[in-house]
Amino acid sequence: MLGRAVDDISTGSDSEYSNSWISWFLSSKGNEYFCEVEEDYILDRFNLTGLNNEVSNYAQALDLITDNLDDDIQDELRGALDVQARLLYGLIHARWIVTARGLAKMLEKFKRVDFGRCPRVLCQSQPLLPVGLSDTPYEKSVKLYCGRCEDVYSPKSSRHGSIDGAYFGTSFPHLLFLVYPSLLPPKSGPVDPTPTSRSIENDSSRKSRRVKEEPEISEGAGETGSTASVALKAERYRPRIYGFQLNETAKLQRWQEAVRDRQIARLEALEDLS
């Protein structure tokens, strides 16, 4: 599904490429979650180790991203190369946002609430962060992680919902909270960071469109059946950094799962009585 979604995206006109491929890509609708990867990082081949095995026409796709592609080749292969350039930039982006400079850029977007807010009432509009459920391309689309309820949600926009989760990776939000521990939200009380004037304006505009938009959907929600059966089918999201589950988070989740199991048992007992 993700592959078809990428293929369906238009490649743009010649004028759109006139300044910079990266600036054109970032300004395209549906790419608001991405930040700009610095050119120095892209040009350092050490940072791109292994990506040549993931991307077809790797060398030409890299030339397109860095605006070094020969004009004659660009005219002949632009459509196919643009798809590969998007894939390559996305995979580079996943590596970039877990560096110190990349985290700082994503932090600014987090403070502006560019990724939206948690729909759960008890989370008090906690800002969300993008996360992938897999580091392998074309497996899972991007989700939005709430550091307060520790759950993941699907983006409201179908454009954002078609973004590959591998472009953000499985480690980013949890590494951000480790590097900036003051941003880790409490489980109750007021939410940080304090909204900026821009985020307040964005929130008011979102409220005016709320009737037209569908609500964010938590993973595992929307299934039919009894409450207990839906709870049993819901897969709990486990925060990980480079594949390893965080120690404190793991202990907390073991306690939460024990409480969840007791609640499911109570629901099953009540359903048997009804």
Side-chain angles (χ1 to χ4, degrees):
M1 186 179 84
L2 289 173
R4 291 196 300 270
V6 171
D7 292 338
D8 290 342
I9 299 174
S10 62
T11 57
S13 64
D14 292 338
S15 60
E16 289 174 318
Y17 280 93
S18 58
N19 294 325
S20 163
W21 186 93
I22 293 178
S23 61
W24 166 80
F25 175 80
L26 295 175
S27 63
S28 299
K29 289 183 178 180
N31 293 336
E32 292 81 5
Y33 286 0
F34 292 89
C35 72
E36 182 178 0
V37 181
E38 294 178 4
E39 187 174 2
D40 290 345
Y41 184 88
I42 298 176
L43 294 177
D44 186 341
R45 298 304 173 94
F46 176 79
N47 298 324
L48 312 186
T49 301
L51 295 185
N52 58 315
N53 298 323
E54 301 282 347
V55 180
S56 302
N57 301 315
Y58 168 81
Q60 292 174 327
L62 182 60
D63 286 342
L64 177 57
I65 290 175
T66 55
D67 304 307
N68 292 317
L69 188 66
D70 183 78
D71 289 338
D72 294 334
I73 298 177
Q74 189 173 356
D75 290 338
E76 296 171 1
L77 303 175
R78 174 178 296 179
L81 281 180
D82 186 71
V83 174
Q84 297 305 314
R86 290 171 182 270
L87 172 61
L88 178 58
Y89 185 84
L91 296 177
I92 296 173
H93 182 268
R95 297 183 178 189
W96 162 251
I97 61 176
V98 293
T99 66
R101 290 178 293 171
L103 285 170
K105 287 198 173 186
M106 294 296 279
L107 174 61
E108 294 303 314
K109 296 177 71 66
F110 175 67
K111 288 182 175 180
R112 294 196 303 263
V113 199
D114 286 354
F115 311 114
R117 296 181 182 274
C118 184
R120 284 186 174 167
V121 175
L122 294 180
C123 287
Q124 300 181 16
S125 300
Q126 167 67 29
L128 299 170
L129 286 167
V131 66
L133 301 183
S134 172
D135 291 310
T136 305
Y138 303 121
E139 284 193 357
K140 298 284 187 178
S141 59
V142 69
K143 301 298 178 185
L144 298 173
Y145 173 75
C146 174
R148 191 156 180 151
C149 64
E150 299 177 359
D151 211 344
V152 290
Y153 300 87
S154 297
K156 290 180 180 179
S157 169
S158 59
R159 289 181 181 270
H160 296 151
S162 65
I163 298 174
D164 200 315
Y167 297 167
F168 296 88
T170 56
S171 304
F172 160 66
H174 321 302
L175 193 59
L176 182 75
F177 287 136
L178 279 183
V179 176
Y180 302 99
S182 61
L183 296 179
L184 191 63
K187 301 308 173 186
S188 61
V191 173
D192 268 339
T194 303
T196 61
S197 58
R198 176 175 173 178
S199 68
I200 293 173
E201 293 174 0
N202 289 341
D203 286 346
S204 61
S205 64
R206 278 195 293 269
K207 288 178 182 177
S208 65
R209 301 193 304 268
R210 187 170 293 170
V211 177
K212 300 180 181 179
E213 294 179 341
E214 296 181 359
E216 290 168 334
I217 303 172
S218 177
E219 288 295 287
E223 299 183 37
T224 58
S226 66
T227 305
S229 62
V230 172
L232 284 170
K233 291 179 181 178
E235 183 178 351
R236 182 167 175 77
Y237 176 70
R238 298 179 180 277
R240 298 179 185 273
I241 293 181
Y242 301 123
F244 297 95
Q245 192 169 358
L246 281 67
N247 182 46
E248 292 300 321
T249 302
K251 290 194 294 185
L252 174 62
Q253 287 195 339
R254 284 195 293 270
W255 173 80
Q256 291 173 332
E257 287 172 357
V259 174
R260 176 174 174 267
D261 291 341
R262 290 197 296 269
Q263 291 174 337
I264 291 174
R266 289 177 56 193
L267 287 171
E268 289 176 334
L270 290 173
E271 288 170 0
D272 290 339
L273 292 175
S274 60

